[in-house]
Amino acid sequence: MNMEPAMEDRRSDEVLARILIVDDEPDIRESLKEILEDEGYQVLLAASAAEAEAVRREQRVDLVLLDIWMPGEDGISLLKRWAARGLEPPVVMMSGHGTVETAVEATKLGAYDFIEKPLSLDKTLLTIDHALEAARLRQENVDLKRQARPVSAPSGDSLAAAHLRQQLERVAQSDSWVLLSGPPGSGKEVAARYLHAHSRRAKGPFVDLKAAAITQPNIAVELFGSEQEGQVHSGRLEQAHRGTLFIDEIADMDLETQARLLSALQEGRLRRVGGMVPVQVDVRVVAATCRDLRAEMQAGRFREDLYYRLNVVPLRVPALAERRQDIPLLVAEFVRFYGERDGLSPRRFSPAALEVMSHYPWPGNVRELQNLVERLLILSEGPEVSGEEVERALGLDNRAAISDMEADEFSGTLKVARDKFERAFIEYHLARNGGNIARTAEAVGLERTHLYRKLKSLGIPY
């Protein structure tokens, strides 16, 4: 194979990407493999369409160099089949007998580019660079649209917020698993994303799995992927290859899935549901919970080996009530976010409004504050949010009536009083949301599963 000299030596100790070369000529496969490995890429080889399918079932690849003319199934036919299933990695076609019509057909089917043999090394490397960069930018754009967040870091000047940021930055330098604990709505996902952004895996994907939102029969497929009748579905673990997998409410996983997860991560490989061949994965796990995992473990609901594996680096995300001085900054960030994302008119929160917020207990934490700001931006009028508006939105506008209550209204223990308040608070939001559990859970700042438990404990019908 004739190849011109490379533009420059780009060798690196870091594996840049995983490239699959599909070509029936052994000399071309091996020459390309040697060159690309010198450039820092990890290279997989296939001599036919059937071998290429087998490799893609076993490994996640970032780019395919696909020859058009091969014995048996040719490259265009294979490309058509991949396109019908949803083309995932970018494909660059190669041919020594290329025509304009063939190149046009390949690009219509989704191929990124077409290069002719004998291959020019400069052009080949440049095409690979551009294809990988285009795929990265496309995925980044999808992620940004799907994961647009009002807060990208544990914001605030409080000691609690500053301490959490320092801990996350320190832990990010290692590759240890991390367990984030804290009450619902306190910002555990924000903390996980901040940790990922400051880690060596920052250029890799950040993939989240909300265990509480997935029914038990489906969680294995979501996590490990599946193979059925030639169709391959990549699970969250594969999607997070060379990046971070964030598992929210990991205690909601059943014991069998916990065991399978631990085994996959310790061995660095997994088996898809219905698959026979193990797939290699390199993933860092950041898990989150609002429960006491030690108590869950002692009750037999959480695996002991997984608990101790996660608990190597435990970090606690503080409740909003522990960092009240951060409320003005968070409010400003939410106002800016909803203005940019939804076009909501910015409004200034008056000192009286911020004062009311600073004394509210925030049972739903940062999530409840975010929902409140959005609601006030949508429903309120005028350039400024008053203290009275905040009180009404929080259901605190009946404080004057409290002074007229009979003394027996204040009898009983604090727990009884708290239960009465929680019951009234949840019933109010249930009524306001027409009995819809999902919207009520969001409004009060609870995960849906925890709201169900609260309804049951308070005897509220649903």
Side-chain angles (χ1 to χ4, degrees):
M1 176 176 65
N2 293 324
M3 275 205 166
E4 301 167 3
M7 294 178 290
E8 56 180 307
D9 186 3
R10 306 182 313 158
R11 300 184 185 198
S12 170
D13 293 333
E14 179 185 358
V15 174
L16 300 178
R18 185 181 288 168
I19 297 175
L20 169 61
I21 301 170
V22 187
D23 198 304
D24 62 305
E25 298 183 52
D27 289 346
I28 291 180
R29 289 197 309 272
E30 291 300 328
S31 297
L32 259 178
K33 179 177 186 290
E34 182 178 341
I35 291 164
L36 293 179
E37 285 181 342
D38 281 348
E39 295 295 317
Y41 295 107
Q42 183 178 348
V43 180
L44 306 169
L45 301 177
S48 65
E51 286 185 19
E53 287 280 47
V55 170
R56 287 199 59 195
R57 279 196 299 273
E58 296 171 15
Q59 306 230 32
R60 188 175 179 85
V61 300
D62 301 299
L63 180 139
V64 181
L65 294 174
L66 176 58
D67 188 30
I68 289 181
W69 303 108
M70 297 185 295
E73 184 177 12
D74 62 44
I76 292 291
S77 298
L78 179 58
L79 182 64
K80 284 180 180 177
R81 190 139 45 82
W82 285 348
R85 296 204 305 249
L87 204 59
E88 193 174 315
V91 176
V92 175
M93 306 299 291
M94 305 183 295
S95 176
H97 311 282
T99 64
V100 173
E101 291 78 11
T102 305
V104 169
E105 183 181 7
T107 52
K108 281 184 177 178
L109 290 169
Y112 176 78
D113 206 346
F114 181 96
I115 52 179
E116 291 185 285
K117 298 177 180 176
L119 302 174
S120 158
L121 182 55
D122 279 353
K123 182 176 181 181
T124 300
L125 293 177
L126 194 61
T127 302
I128 289 172
D129 276 348
H130 289 171
L132 289 170
E133 179 65 10
R136 185 188 68 79
L137 290 173
R138 185 169 60 248
Q139 185 60 48
E140 193 175 88
N141 189 45
V142 170
D143 290 343
L144 287 172
K145 288 181 178 178
R146 186 179 65 233
Q147 301 169 353
R149 306 281 166 183
V151 178
S152 59
S155 304
D157 300 322
S158 66
L159 288 176
H163 180 60
L164 176 61
R165 287 194 300 271
Q166 290 169 2
Q167 286 183 307
L168 291 169
E169 290 165 12
R170 190 178 304 120
V171 170
Q173 303 313 307
S174 74
D175 214 31
S176 301
W177 295 11
V178 178
L179 177 62
L180 298 171
S181 62
S186 55
K188 295 186 286 294
E189 183 173 347
V190 170
R193 290 180 181 278
Y194 187 78
L195 188 153
H196 171 74
H198 286 77
S199 73
R200 292 192 294 267
R201 296 175 177 264
K203 292 184 179 179
F206 178 95
V207 178
D208 69 308
L209 175 73
K210 292 178 171 55
I214 303 172
T215 57
Q216 295 303 338
N218 298 326
I219 196 165
V221 172
E222 285 294 323
L223 192 55
F224 302 104
S226 64
E227 289 183 34
Q228 188 176 12
E229 298 177 354
Q231 298 288 327
V232 175
H233 163 70
S234 297
R236 306 294 174 89
L237 272 169
E238 271 187 88
Q239 295 168 23
H241 181 64
R242 293 201 293 268
T244 301
L245 176 66
F246 172 63
I247 305 177
D248 194 16
E249 289 308 330
I250 193 169
D252 284 319
M253 277 187 180
D254 62 274
L255 292 170
E256 181 181 349
T257 305
Q258 292 175 29
R260 190 169 175 180
L261 171 67
L262 180 64
S263 175
L265 292 167
Q266 286 182 331
E267 294 177 11
R269 57 184 184 175
L270 59 86
R271 274 194 174 86
R272 303 186 189 101
V273 175
M276 301 299 293
V277 180
V279 179
Q280 292 181 345
V281 288
D282 173 18
V283 176
R284 180 185 197 173
V285 170
V286 178
T289 185
C290 63
R291 299 192 218 168
D292 182 347
L293 283 193
R294 182 178 288 276
E296 294 291 313
M297 177 185 70
Q298 292 170 348
R301 293 187 293 267
F302 201 82
R303 290 185 61 95
E304 184 176 357
D305 47 5
L306 182 56
Y307 171 77
Y308 287 116
R309 185 70 176 83
L310 285 170
N311 208 43
V312 173
V313 185
L315 296 178
R316 182 177 174 277
V317 180
L320 183 56
E322 299 174 52
R323 52 189 195 103
R324 296 177 187 275
Q325 71 185 77
D326 297 330
I327 289 175
L329 177 60
L330 289 168
V331 168
E333 289 185 347
F334 294 145
V335 169
R336 183 170 57 252
F337 171 75
Y338 288 115
E340 293 173 354
R341 195 193 71 173
D342 301 332
L344 297 178
S345 299
R347 304 186 70 216
R348 190 175 78 87
F349 280 69
S350 69
L354 295 173
E355 180 69 15
V356 172
M357 291 178 169
S358 70
H359 289 93
Y360 182 68
W362 299 109
N365 292 288
V366 178
R367 186 184 299 134
E368 185 183 4
L369 175 63
Q370 178 184 339
N371 293 341
L372 174 72
V373 172
E374 182 182 15
R375 186 159 65 249
L376 288 169
L377 291 177
I378 293 171
L379 300 177
S380 301
E381 297 179 355
E384 186 174 82
V385 177
S386 67
E388 290 76 12
E389 286 179 279
V390 173
E391 287 183 338
R392 283 196 299 273
L394 291 172
L396 302 176
D397 52 339
N398 62 343
R399 289 182 300 172
I402 294 177
S403 61
D404 298 329
M405 286 182 177
E406 297 296 331
D408 60 357
E409 291 289 331
F410 294 94
S411 62
T413 64
L414 179 61
K415 182 181 184 308
V416 171
R418 187 185 297 117
D419 287 348
K420 284 181 180 179
F421 170 77
E422 287 185 350
R423 182 183 181 91
F425 179 75
I426 292 174
E427 285 178 337
Y428 165 79
H429 283 286
L430 272 172
R432 185 167 182 169
N433 289 284
N436 185 288
I437 296 295
R439 289 201 299 267
T440 302
E442 184 177 359
V444 302
L446 288 176
E447 299 290 346
R448 197 182 309 181
T449 52
H450 301 305
L451 178 58
Y452 277 121
R453 293 193 194 102
K454 182 63 70 176
L455 292 171
K456 186 175 179 180
S457 68
L458 293 173
I460 299 174
Y462 56 91

